[in-house]
Amino acid sequence: MIYRQYGKTNKNISVLGLGGMRFGNDEDYAVEVIRKANDLGINYFDTAPFYCSDRSEDIFGKAFKNMTGEFYVSTKSGIFNEPTADDVRRRIEKSLKRLGVNKIDFYHMWCIMDLRQYEKVMEQGGPYEGAVKAKEEGLIDHLVFSTHCSGNDIRKIVEDNSFEGVLLGYNVVNHPYRQEGIKAALENNIGVSVMNPLGGGLIPNSPEYFNFLKETEDETVCQSALRFILAEPGVTTALIGASSIKELEENIGVLNYPLVVSEAKRKEIKSNINESMDKLCTTCGYCLKCPKKIKINRYLEAYNMSIFKDHKEMEKYLEFLKTQGALKDEEVFAKDCIECGKCEELCTQKIPIIKRLKEISCLNPAH
Ligand code: SF4
Ligand code: SF4
């Protein structure tokens, strides 16, 4: 394993961290995956309330009980559920209990979507105040933030100097639009952890499309995508969301290659990425509060295909989702959208969901 210092903290963390968002239903196996990660040198574990139907913190708590290696834990609270300082305090106490630790090493002001939300986090009596107080009392070690803002907005938050690190969604697909945030973090010497380094399931699910990432024949597309992130100056760690030991080992395999990307390859990657790719759905599911219960993430996953290739490919993908049971004939369809706008407010990629659903139903009247 390779370790990097996290900003100005004295903590050296593994260049691959384990994210706790994608564990399966078998909790004992998830515990095994976490312990295996630690055996392989991973010492940074990132979780949050509500991940994995609110089981993730408990799963980590079980794994930590008998874990022999050194480790750091990161968790979060968000403005939607914890809008006041007191709410944050209660959430921290709950997380400490569930994780079975005395102190949270990295505590995130979670999922800041834009500067307006950032201001709310920082308001008097708001979440930031609660977290600072908890830090003074020794309940948390480092106060950091997670965000889906643009690179320029991330720079503004970083330059306010209120946080010791940032967790941001960064991958080969959206890198031109977030890079400024990483540069700002580097200039200000704060830690950077990267979520979604594989674009959610986007890169592993479309290996043929992303084949251009590879620099050697024997590395996998996922390894190339991780190498690309870890070669970025300023990045401390990339969070992998392994749900199996096999996946974990494949991802750790990236460390068999030098963590660099040649200039020629960078140019090639840039030429394969266009602006619309910043608006690819990562299937994260944050938008799934639809009053009509439309499977937005599935429809938008199919729409990704029309960005990669064309509408025909999208149609094929819709059929494929049906064969997988992910979309069913009797369910609500894209055309049932009542344009309430709720999903767009929640979308981490700021995708024009309503417009896309309309386009899907126009092209495919069955949907
Ligand atoms: S805009 Fe449409 S898809 Fe989005 S939450 Fe409202 S009804 Fe659902
Ligand atoms: S539409 Fe947005 S919030 Fe919904 S799954 Fe896709 S990226 Fe996530």
Side-chain angles (χ1 to χ4, degrees):
M1 183 54 64
I2 298 170
Y3 298 87
R4 291 176 179 167
Q5 187 170 343
Y6 186 97
K8 298 182 202 73
T9 74
N10 56 4
K11 293 188 170 61
N12 283 318
I13 68 171
S14 46
V15 290
L16 293 175
L18 185 69
M21 203 183 183
R22 293 179 195 267
F23 297 130
N25 290 331
D26 184 343
E27 292 191 5
D28 290 338
Y29 184 64
V31 166
E32 222 179 287
V33 172
I34 297 167
R35 293 207 184 125
K36 179 72 182 177
N38 193 236
D39 288 346
L40 293 170
I42 289 182
N43 67 0
Y44 186 88
F45 296 98
D46 178 87
T47 180
F50 313 116
Y51 279 0
C52 301
S53 313
D54 206 21
R55 295 174 304 127
S56 183
E57 285 190 330
D58 288 320
I59 292 172
F60 275 109
K62 271 193 207 166
F64 292 158
K65 260 185 203 150
N66 300 317
M67 215 153 79
T68 45
E70 183 186 40
F71 65 88
Y72 301 116
V73 61
S74 137
T75 190
K76 317 177 180 83
S77 63
I79 185 109
F80 283 119
N81 290 304
E82 286 82 28
T84 69
D86 289 345
D87 294 330
V88 167
R89 173 55 181 239
R90 276 191 289 276
R91 174 58 71 188
I92 290 173
E93 281 171 11
K94 195 168 177 191
S95 292
L96 285 167
K97 219 182 209 170
R98 286 164 47 139
L99 292 161
V101 294
N102 298 324
K103 185 189 263 191
I104 295 161
D105 301 290
F106 297 91
Y107 197 69
H108 289 81
M109 296 287 95
W110 191 5
C111 199
I112 297 177
M113 300 287 283
D114 52 39
L115 293 178
R116 196 176 46 89
Q117 246 183 40
Y118 169 57
E119 278 165 24
K120 285 221 157 299
V121 167
M122 306 304 283
E123 265 173 14
Q124 207 179 358
Y128 184 79
E129 193 179 299
V132 167
K133 191 152 181 285
K135 186 174 180 216
E136 284 162 5
E137 290 172 34
L139 301 181
I140 64 181
D141 219 354
H142 304 292
L143 185 45
V144 295
F145 71 106
S146 87
T147 181
H148 295 281
C149 288
S150 68
N152 288 334
D153 285 353
I154 294 171
R155 172 174 283 284
K156 285 192 188 123
I157 300 174
V158 166
E159 289 180 347
D160 273 359
N161 221 4
S162 304
F163 295 101
E164 295 176 82
V166 56
L167 168 62
L168 46 80
Y170 190 68
N171 52 58
V172 70
V173 168
N174 70 11
H175 78 277
Y177 318 102
R178 291 263 164 83
Q179 216 158 21
E180 195 56 30
I182 297 190
K183 267 197 208 158
L186 181 65
E187 287 162 25
N188 289 274
N189 191 18
I190 71 165
V192 174
S193 41
V194 167
M195 59 180 146
N196 276 333
L198 303 178
L202 207 59
I203 295 170
N205 290 341
S206 317
E208 280 166 25
Y209 181 82
F210 288 104
N211 206 40
F212 65 88
L213 295 178
K214 289 167 69 165
E215 280 201 269
T216 58
E217 260 322 298
D218 55 337
E219 73 177 346
T220 67
V221 166
C222 288
Q223 287 168 345
S224 317
L226 284 173
R227 186 169 46 76
F228 179 83
I229 300 300
L230 295 174
E232 177 78 36
V235 169
T236 320
T237 185
L239 302 181
I240 49 174
S243 56
S244 71
I245 289 176
K246 187 169 169 271
E247 242 178 273
L248 180 70
E249 286 174 338
E250 183 201 330
N251 288 331
I252 289 183
V254 65
L255 302 179
N256 295 329
Y257 304 90
L259 298 179
V260 290
V261 176
S262 68
E263 219 22 70
K265 184 49 85 176
R266 274 184 195 283
K267 277 195 186 136
E268 190 190 338
I269 290 172
K270 250 204 164 124
S271 71
N272 276 281
I273 301 295
N274 61 53
E275 203 160 328
S276 55
M277 289 199 177
D278 185 39
K279 296 278 180 259
L280 283 164
C281 172
T282 62
T283 70
C284 66
Y286 275 75
C287 58
L288 293 179
K289 297 267 189 307
C290 172
K292 301 293 287 180
K293 304 219 176 327
I294 297 170
K295 289 194 169 165
I296 304 168
N297 53 342
R298 294 295 163 226
Y299 276 115
L300 278 266
E301 183 183 0
Y303 191 94
N304 284 346
M305 294 300 143
S306 71
I307 296 178
F308 285 151
K309 278 195 175 165
D310 51 33
H311 287 324
K312 266 211 170 96
E313 210 53 38
M314 177 176 82
E315 277 169 41
K316 272 198 228 158
Y317 203 82
L318 286 169
E319 282 312 304
F320 165 74
L321 288 175
K322 271 195 193 171
T323 62
Q324 299 297 301
L327 281 178
K328 291 182 188 143
D329 278 337
E330 69 277 16
E331 265 168 358
V332 282
F333 300 109
K335 62 185 169 207
D336 294 320
C337 171
I338 52 169
E339 302 186 20
C340 69
K342 197 159 187 164
C343 54
E344 291 194 358
E345 261 173 47
L346 297 169
C347 177
T348 54
Q349 301 299 110
K350 302 189 170 60
I351 293 175
I353 298 174
I354 299 173
K355 191 165 159 256
R356 284 194 188 175
L357 291 177
K358 255 194 189 160
E359 214 176 317
I360 292 170
S361 60
C362 284
L363 289 160
N364 301 270
H367 289 275

